[in-house]
Amino acid sequence: MNSRDLRADFPILSRTVGPGAGKPLVYLDNAATTQKPRRVIETVDRFYQHENANIHRGVHYLSMNATDAYDRARERIATAIGAPDPAEVIFVRGTTEAINLVASSFAGDRFAAGDEIVLTVMEHHANIVPWQLLAERKGLVLKWVDVTDSGEIDLDAFRAEFSGRTKLAVFAQVSNALGTINPAREMVAIAREFGAAVLIDGAQGVPHGAVDVTELGADFYAFSGHKVVGPDGIGVLWGRRELLDSMPPYQGGGDMIERVTKEGSTFRHSPERFEAGTPNISGAIGLGAAFDYLGEIGWETIEVSERDLLEYATARLREIDGIRILGPADTGSKVAVISFTMDSAHPHDIGTILDTEGIAIRAGHHCAQPLMDRFQVAGTARASFAFYNSRDDVDRLLDGIHKVKHFFG
Ligand code: PLP
């Protein structure tokens, strides 16, 4: 398949945006959420038109079929991320809920006052605030790892934050604000030297390359379906089976119990233990379809296409005076996310003018305020690419930026 064919798989990409006849959409906000291919849209649509029923509880045809489809989606995702056992794949709302689950059921259950959690200044707020809340509640200490001037993790600086009290390290596989690819395996190895558990926030890792949780070697891995061409409201927490089965439930309700009496309840094992209540059935099935679709395209095709876009866009942006690109200078150490500022224009002005040209980028702090503080900027403009973008999209972005320059000087 070439990039032209892939683009045609995404119905929304052929629309125009803005007043009047509008401008053809150039969608460069993929780090916030990706667009959905027809395969995913039709899978969710078919479920509601023909297959809808609640899972697990029914003995009737539709319920049993829906249960099978939900279980198959779990198996499909386990295979896609290299999980040895589908029972290690827990369906949650997204990365945010996955991290909160670990904070509550794992760290909340076993950490004590004075225990330390290592995290980096490049984390998304979803991988900061749950730890701050827990630290406040339990008297834990958060140890912050700074980034280099090029927005990367220095492994010695990372190691320096560990001590005999470190119980957990949490970090993004890929920075949402800069695109930096972190040396996850090396970071896991350092945490292991200190006997600490590891959670990897894979929200920006899963969309850009093949993930193998076994190879990464962490204890927990979290991601969101909507960032990987799947539906929103569905995501995954992967965890090591033995850890999951030793953790108390996150929420109580139907489907997660073995037996409920007036005196108390006993609980099922993972994944049911952590999936109280009716889950997002169509979302899980849609996410399975998303991985089917990505599997057919192949990660190599995706990576080659995104690398070309990153290199082309970076080279063209570097030709423009007054643009500062934040993050690694070497495009080999980052995914196709370009965060930049302009001397003459505020990020929101850049975003607003580009929008009048039909170009969707993101402007602001990208839910990474500690990182913005580190670089002493209030925010950046961020163009984030997916494999269905094209060099034409980059050219339109550059035309838009020239318009911003013309406007603001
Ligand atoms: N972590 C990272 C690195 C992200 O980029 C995001 C979303 O942008 C999140 C966590 C939170 O994801 P969600 O809002 O889907 O839970």
Side-chain angles (χ1 to χ4, degrees):
M1 279 197 255
N2 62 37
S3 63
R4 204 73 249 155
D5 297 326
L6 296 179
R7 196 175 176 82
D9 291 344
F10 293 77
I12 202 171
L13 297 179
S14 56
R15 68 160 289 176
T16 59
V17 288
K23 300 271 172 63
L25 171 66
V26 173
Y27 187 76
L28 300 178
D29 195 17
N30 293 286
T33 199
T34 55
Q35 297 302 346
K36 318 302 171 200
R38 205 169 269 106
R39 164 85 73 97
V40 169
I41 298 167
E42 286 173 356
T43 298
V44 173
D45 185 65
R46 188 173 57 243
F47 178 78
Y48 283 123
Q49 297 233 32
H50 303 289
E51 297 159 1
N52 178 50
N54 208 336
I55 55 169
H56 293 151
R57 294 179 266 260
V59 289
H60 61 82
Y61 180 86
L62 283 180
S63 176
M64 289 188 290
N65 274 359
T67 304
D68 280 352
Y70 184 75
D71 291 344
R72 272 200 311 278
R74 196 191 305 281
E75 284 161 20
R76 176 72 191 87
I77 292 158
T79 308
I81 63 169
D85 181 350
E88 298 179 332
V89 171
I90 298 161
F91 284 124
V92 288
R93 269 194 303 126
T95 310
T96 303
E97 186 173 40
I99 295 171
N100 277 279
L101 193 164
V102 176
S104 167
S105 286
F106 177 71
D109 184 53
R110 52 189 87 184
F111 295 0
D115 285 346
E116 296 174 0
I117 298 176
V118 170
L119 73 174
T120 86
V121 299
M122 71 161 74
E123 300 314 308
H124 186 281
H125 295 166
N127 203 20
I128 296 175
V129 183
W131 307 114
Q132 288 178 328
L133 291 172
L134 187 69
E136 214 167 282
R137 195 151 58 78
K138 303 209 62 158
L140 310 179
V141 180
L142 301 186
K143 305 286 280 186
W144 291 90
V145 180
D146 196 8
V147 295
T148 63
D149 290 343
S150 57
E152 291 166 284
I153 297 292
D154 173 84
L155 289 175
D156 290 331
F158 182 70
R159 183 192 300 273
E161 296 306 327
F162 284 77
S163 78
R165 299 244 33 193
T166 311
K167 288 286 186 297
L168 176 70
V170 301
F171 60 85
Q173 187 180 18
V174 169
S175 155
N176 68 309
L178 303 177
T180 314
I181 302 170
N182 286 323
R185 260 177 297 174
E186 289 84 342
M187 291 165 80
V188 171
I190 290 171
R192 294 299 186 220
E193 285 174 31
F194 292 84
V198 181
L199 175 142
I200 298 180
D201 171 354
Q204 301 292 342
V206 166
H208 297 290
V211 165
D212 186 324
V213 291
T214 308
E215 221 175 84
L216 282 169
D219 298 290
F220 301 102
Y221 186 92
F223 69 94
S224 301
H226 69 96
K227 292 188 196 287
V228 59
V229 309
D232 42 31
I234 188 77
V236 165
L237 172 69
W238 170 82
R240 280 183 199 284
R241 182 76 199 253
E242 63 277 14
L243 274 183
L244 293 174
D245 282 340
S246 70
M247 285 159 51
Y250 169 54
Q251 294 176 333
D255 264 353
M256 46 79 76
I257 50 87
E258 273 168 351
R259 178 89 177 95
V260 178
T261 64
K262 284 186 281 185
E263 288 69 41
S265 306
T266 54
F267 308 111
R268 297 173 73 182
H269 289 293
S270 178
E272 289 83 6
R273 172 182 300 218
F274 302 104
E275 292 182 5
T278 300
N280 182 351
I281 305 166
S282 65
I285 295 169
L287 184 55
F291 277 103
D292 282 343
Y293 174 77
L294 294 169
E296 269 169 31
I297 297 169
W299 284 111
E300 210 185 308
T301 305
I302 291 170
E303 283 174 27
V304 168
S305 151
E306 292 187 0
R307 182 130 309 279
D308 176 65
L309 293 170
L310 175 64
E311 283 168 8
Y312 180 61
T314 303
R316 292 220 48 203
L317 281 167
R318 280 185 181 146
E319 287 165 8
I320 302 178
D321 280 347
I323 287 205
R324 171 185 173 212
I325 299 178
L326 284 83
D330 169 15
T331 52
S333 329
K334 62 187 286 196
V335 301
V337 167
I338 303 180
S339 222
F340 62 96
T341 57
M342 286 175 83
D343 286 349
S344 51
H346 188 278
H348 282 126
D349 295 326
I350 303 172
T352 305
I353 291 182
L354 291 179
D355 181 53
T356 64
E357 297 299 309
I359 304 160
I361 63 150
R362 184 144 299 235
H365 55 63
H366 315 298
C367 295
Q369 283 179 330
L371 187 67
M372 299 296 119
D373 292 344
R374 161 67 178 81
F375 286 104
Q376 296 179 322
V377 292
T380 71
R382 180 187 72 185
S384 54
F385 298 84
F387 57 90
Y388 45 73
N389 288 121
S390 64
R391 282 191 173 213
D392 285 350
D393 292 338
V394 178
D395 293 339
R396 290 264 315 274
L397 171 68
L398 267 292
D399 291 347
I401 287 174
H402 282 296
K403 193 171 167 193
V404 175
K405 268 197 84 100
H406 181 72
F407 206 80
F408 289 96

